[in-house]
Amino acid sequence: MFCSLCLSLLLQLTNGDVKIDDKISFSFPSESTPQESGGNQLWQYSTPENAVFLVMTVDFAKLGLDTATINQEIALPEFFDQYREGIKGKLPEGKLIYETNSTFKGHPVTEYKFSMNPSNTLITYYSKKYFIGTKVYSLSYIIAGDKTKSADCE
């Protein structure tokens, strides 16, 4: 899966251009300055081919939540269903293509792919979120146009 591979390559755990914290760093092909979205850090890289790659961190400690509370919530059977529906609510025409919940080194991970077709332009939205302690590390891409119809992005 080419698109998943592209996203994986963007977040190499090496000495990249951006160091999020002591655990995570990444590199984009060109410089990306951090932005803020709802009090959270966000980095964005856009390509000439109508693709946007996003890396975002959410720190629930800023909301007064601790790791134990977050872990209790994540353990609830309905947690990932509610999380998915929250994302879907932000994508009014979004059709869920697939969803996977797993773990990475003992940490919960959720992965979604949505497809939309507003104004006859196919848009694919993919997001993978790692829940580590009080933080969520989010890797996402959005691709617009006919390129999303290629077998590489399925």
Side-chain angles (χ1 to χ4, degrees):
M1 298 211 288
F2 175 74
C3 292
S4 296
L5 178 61
C6 288
L7 193 57
S8 297
L9 291 175
L10 285 175
L11 189 65
Q12 299 285 325
L13 299 179
T14 63
N15 293 327
D17 295 331
V18 177
K19 184 175 181 177
I20 295 176
D21 57 25
D22 293 338
K23 297 178 183 119
I24 306 288
S25 62
F26 65 92
S27 295
F28 280 140
S30 64
E31 190 173 328
S32 176
T33 55
Q35 303 169 26
E36 198 169 296
S37 175
N40 301 299
Q41 288 184 306
L42 168 72
W43 293 266
Q44 177 177 315
Y45 174 73
S46 299
T47 71
E49 294 83 23
N50 297 324
V52 177
F53 293 89
L54 304 162
V55 176
M56 184 174 185
T57 60
V58 177
D59 190 352
F60 288 117
K62 292 180 180 178
L63 302 173
L65 298 174
D66 60 19
T67 303
T69 303
I70 294 167
N71 288 340
Q72 283 178 334
E73 290 294 317
I74 290 173
L76 296 173
E78 65 272 12
F79 175 81
F80 286 113
D81 291 339
Q82 292 170 351
Y83 203 86
R84 177 196 61 240
E85 291 305 311
I87 292 172
K88 191 173 181 181
K90 295 177 183 178
L91 307 170
E93 295 183 30
K95 176 184 170 192
L96 182 65
I97 304 299
Y98 75 80
E99 169 184 14
T100 303
N101 299 313
S102 61
T103 60
F104 175 76
K105 295 188 177 184
H107 301 287
V109 176
T110 188
E111 186 175 1
Y112 304 104
K113 183 176 180 182
F114 288 91
S115 179
M116 298 156 277
N117 197 1
S119 305
N120 292 321
T121 301
L122 186 61
I123 297 174
T124 299
Y125 169 75
Y126 168 88
S127 185
K128 189 169 192 174
K129 299 177 185 322
Y130 297 83
F131 295 81
I132 302 173
T134 61
K135 292 186 178 179
V136 178
Y137 299 92
S138 176
L139 310 172
S140 304
Y141 68 74
I142 302 165
I143 300 176
D146 290 338
K147 291 178 178 29
T148 57
K149 293 179 182 177
S150 77
D152 291 340
C153 292
E154 294 303 316

